Amino acid sequence: MTPDPILRVRDLAKDFTLHNRSGARIAALDSVSFDVRAGECLVLAGPSGAGKSTLLRCVYGNYLASRGSIRVDGTEIVGADHRTILALRRTRVGYVSQFLRAVPRVPAREVVAEPLLARGETRDAAFERADSLLDALGIPSALRGLPPATFSGGEQQRVDLARGFAAAFPLMLLDEPTSALDAANRRRVVALLEDAKRRGCAVVGVFHDEDIAAAVGTRRHPLEPVRRAA
Ligand code: ADP
């Protein structure tokens, strides 16, 4: 029997209201449906403006979808209260974007360990896991005690990826998480994603780099810009 999908999206639509344009509405997503199961990596494809980032933000609960349904492990996201969204983010779903979230003054190792500490893991276990991810992503030990704010864009992006994958969530949402990486580091990220898929993580990703998409993607979901006002 096929297992239930970890992510189930049905007839999803998102319109934006432009308050600075007399409340004009534009449609960013219309009738999007797909399932993603454990161990799959769905690549969102399509030109700029097709709604790829908007879709990931709807799934993570940053944007409220206008219509349709998004279920993560059976829990409905559309219209869910803040507490439900935060609980899902603590236990089920991770999100890594191209925009670096450098927390001031907190050392890299702690930035990575934090999601595990928040889930009640011991400091030893959390820091051991942080070190193994930072090793896998090639962040030298000399940097780990320093805050990522001073790191290069590529180093910050790898710290963000390590943090995103620390808690081994069943669903990972990736929005161009490799845009600042060189070839050697992109290979490290491919290895990280392969590992996550092997342990049953479901991934939905937008990848800047076609080679990464081809290497890690198990399916593509094409999106086209919605060419109409909402
Ligand atoms: P992609 O990630 O595929 O490039 P986006 O999801 O960024 O596409 O954008 C899809 C459409 O939604 C675009 O027309 C964009 O201008 C619009 N859009 C995205 N975010 C907002 C927002 N916060 N407010 C208004 N319009 C937005």
Side-chain angles (χ1 to χ4, degrees):
M1 206 177 80
T2 334
D4 285 344
I6 290 181
L7 175 63
R8 180 181 181 279
V9 174
R10 286 292 177 279
D11 298 321
L12 183 70
K14 173 65 184 168
D15 307 328
F16 288 104
T17 304
L18 305 178
H19 296 289
N20 56 356
R21 301 264 178 89
S22 321
R25 287 165 72 80
I26 55 160
L29 295 170
D30 193 20
S31 303
V32 176
S33 299
F34 58 79
D35 289 338
V36 190
R37 295 190 152 74
E40 284 189 320
C41 173
L42 184 77
V43 172
L44 298 179
S48 174
K52 304 181 295 296
S53 293
T54 299
L55 173 50
L56 292 176
R57 288 178 184 170
C58 288
V59 176
Y60 198 56
N62 285 340
Y63 288 163
L64 174 62
S66 307
R67 293 175 297 285
S69 162
I70 301 169
R71 284 179 178 270
V72 173
D73 257 355
T75 302
E76 180 62 57
I77 304 286
V78 179
D81 60 20
H82 198 55
R83 195 187 307 197
T84 305
I85 300 284
L86 289 182
L88 281 169
R89 290 180 184 180
R90 206 165 43 243
T91 59
R92 322 300 297 158
V93 50
Y95 173 82
V96 181
S97 82
Q98 61 182 314
F99 302 110
L100 313 165
R101 179 186 28 189
V103 194
R105 291 185 293 279
V106 179
R109 225 171 146 237
E110 211 160 310
V111 168
V112 176
E114 194 274 332
L116 296 171
L117 297 171
R119 286 167 55 141
E121 297 210 15
T122 64
R123 286 187 76 77
D124 281 357
F127 284 105
E128 196 178 310
R129 169 88 177 136
D131 278 330
S132 96
L133 280 159
L134 290 165
D135 277 342
L137 288 166
I139 299 289
S141 359
L143 286 185
R144 297 181 195 173
L146 303 173
T150 57
F151 293 5
S152 74
E155 287 162 349
Q156 289 190 24
Q157 206 155 49
R158 281 178 286 143
V159 170
D160 242 24
L161 277 159
R163 176 187 165 93
F165 280 87
F169 294 124
L171 176 63
M172 284 300 296
L173 308 171
L174 306 177
D175 194 352
E176 302 205 10
T178 57
S179 56
L181 300 188
D182 57 29
N185 282 313
R186 288 201 298 268
R187 279 195 293 278
R188 289 183 162 122
V189 174
V190 168
L192 179 79
L193 290 176
E194 287 301 333
D195 216 45
K197 281 160 58 190
R198 260 194 305 277
R199 68 162 167 75
C201 179
V203 181
V204 184
V206 180
F207 299 100
H208 172 78
D209 184 290
E210 198 44 53
D211 290 348
I212 296 194
V216 300
T218 49
R219 262 186 311 134
R220 292 169 80 83
H221 186 87
L223 288 172
E224 287 298 328
V226 183
R227 303 208 181 278
R228 62 167 180 77

